[in-house]
Structure formats: C-alpha cells, structure tokens
C-alpha cells in the first residue's frame, strides 16, 4: 500500500514479496496488482525475473478465476505455460484438460528422476479429485520418495494408500509415513 519511487524498486524484493503474498498470505488479488506493477517495467528487467513474476501472476489469476488468465498465460514460455493451463483447469474442475496439459509438461522430461515435481503433484491432485486413485498412486509415490519430508507429498501418498485394499504392506507404508512425519518438528 505504500508508494515508492519506481527507480527504488528492486526486482528480487518484488519477486520475494509477490511470492510471499501468494504463498503465505493467499492475497491473490494483491499479488496480481504487484505483478502488474513490476511488468510495467518488463523491458528493463531480466527475462527470468519477468517469467517468474508472470508465473505467479498467472497462478493468482487462475485462483481468482479471472478471464484475464488466458491473455497473460500466452506470454509464459513452455513448459510453464502448459503447467499453468493444467493448474487452471484443475481448479476449474476440468480434469481431462488439466491432465492433458500436465502430461505435456511431463513429456518435456523423458528422465523419470528429473520430472517436474510441481507437475507430478498437480497431476496427483487431478487424479485424486477425479477419484482415479490407482493413477494417482504411482505418481504420489514418486513425489513422496523424491521428497519424503514434504507434508503435501506425504499426505497425497497416504490418501492414495488408504484407498487401496488392506494389506500388511500397505499398513507398513502408512505407518512409515506417519513415523517419518512425526519426527519432523514442522
């Protein structure tokens, strides 16, 4: 809300602020306003800064269900553009289009170990929200095994395991997840 002279604005501070407003405060409209302000000076900024700001702007617009999302997302390079379309369509409940776009992101990386964890996580949510837990299971396991301390990955894998028929192996996996999370003080 404070007014600062444009020549005093530091791009990295703006990026951190926009990200904090988006991630922590869930202030999507404010994130869009700040992103718009940064992007007015787009030609003077490094391409990676512009792309990062526009990415957060598009995430915010998707969460706000703003039609402007489609104008802005066209300016985002691939594979981030496909990720954002997948994100938008998941939020809108169009799981087929979300899946299509997220699979496009994953096809950019042939190596299973180097696949975009954001895209894998979004695809897990798409499958879970459309009650396709079998499809979600392997992807949620992949994300969990790559970052077992991430509570979102643990929660998604846990939810998929719960949907499977009861077994000794299943129970051991569930207990391992709970144990690993209980050790983490966060």
């Amino acid at each position: 809300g404070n007014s600062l002279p444009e020549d005093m604005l530091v791009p990295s501070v703006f990026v951190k602020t926009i990200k904090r407003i988006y991630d922590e405060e869930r202030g999507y409209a404010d994130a869009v306003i700040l992103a718009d302000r940064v992007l007015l000076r787009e030609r003077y900024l490094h391409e990676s800064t512009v792309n990062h700001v526009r990415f957060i702007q598009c995430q915010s617009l998707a969460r706000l269900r703003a039609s402007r999302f489609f104008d802005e997302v066209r300016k985002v390079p691939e594979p981030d553009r496909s990720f954002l379309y997948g994100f938008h369509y998941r939020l809108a409940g169009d799981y087929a289009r979300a899946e299509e776009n997220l699979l496009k992101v994953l096809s950019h990386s042939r190596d299973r170990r180097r696949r975009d964890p954001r895209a894998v996580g979004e695809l897990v949510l798409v499958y879970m929200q459309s009650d396709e837990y079998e499809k979600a299971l392997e992807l949620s396991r992949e994300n969990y095994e790559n970052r077992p301390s991430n509570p979102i990955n643990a929660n998604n894998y846990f939810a998929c395991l719960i949907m499977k028929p009861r077994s000794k192996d299943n129970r051991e996996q569930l207990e391992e997840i709970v144990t690993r999370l209980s050790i983490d003080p966060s």
Side-chain angles (χ1 to χ4, degrees), residues 19-51:
K19 187 150 181 53
R20 180 182 49 77
I21 289 170
Y22 177 85
D23 287 338
E24 296 171 23
E25 298 175 17
R26 310 275 192 247
Y28 308 124
D30 289 338
V32 169
I33 290 168
L34 283 177
D36 286 343
R37 190 166 169 199
V38 170
L39 294 172
L40 285 174
R41 305 189 70 214
E42 170 177 359
R43 67 179 179 263
Y44 303 111
L45 300 173
H46 191 276
E47 183 181 357
S48 65
T49 300
V50 170
N51 290 340

Side-chain angles (χ1 to χ4, degrees), residues 63 92 148 185:
R63 288 199 180 275

